Amino acid sequence: MSVKEAHGAGPALLPAAVARFLEHEQRAGTVAADAPIDGVAASIAGACYLRAFLEQFYGPDHPQQPMTEFAASIMATVLLALTTHPAASTPSD
């Protein structure tokens, strides 16, 4: 564990926090039992990190999708993975 992680900082904390939230929702039954939690958490965190990077790289005046549209787009992308059971969505022969 790095010094930053020991002090509650570092980039690995976001996907871990998202994964914990999704696991809580999984236990509550709102996320499919077989959902790929780690992959979804990494996807959400990665999208957020990219958005933050672009703002830092180009500056706050660089045009980006409004935050509400950005969040809705990311969630629309991962929602299917959170709610669909792979065996049920596979076409039968």
Side-chain angles (χ1 to χ4, degrees):
M1 177 180 292
S2 73
V3 173
K4 288 184 179 190
E5 288 174 317
H7 290 287
L13 296 178
L14 178 59
V18 173
R20 283 192 306 275
F21 171 78
L22 293 173
E23 288 164 351
H24 170 78
E25 292 299 311
Q26 201 171 42
R27 288 190 297 276
T30 55
V31 167
D34 54 357
I37 298 297
D38 290 335
V40 170
S43 297
I44 293 170
C48 293
Y49 288 145
L50 176 61
R51 184 178 174 99
F53 170 79
L54 291 174
E55 185 170 318
Q56 289 298 308
F57 187 81
Y58 291 113
D61 295 331
H62 180 73
Q64 290 200 65
Q65 186 179 32
M67 187 59 74
T68 54
E69 291 177 23
F70 167 75
S73 169
I74 300 307
M75 290 314 299
T77 301
V78 300
L79 190 57
L80 191 60
L82 294 173
T83 58
T84 303
H85 300 278
S89 64
T90 304
S92 59
D93 295 19

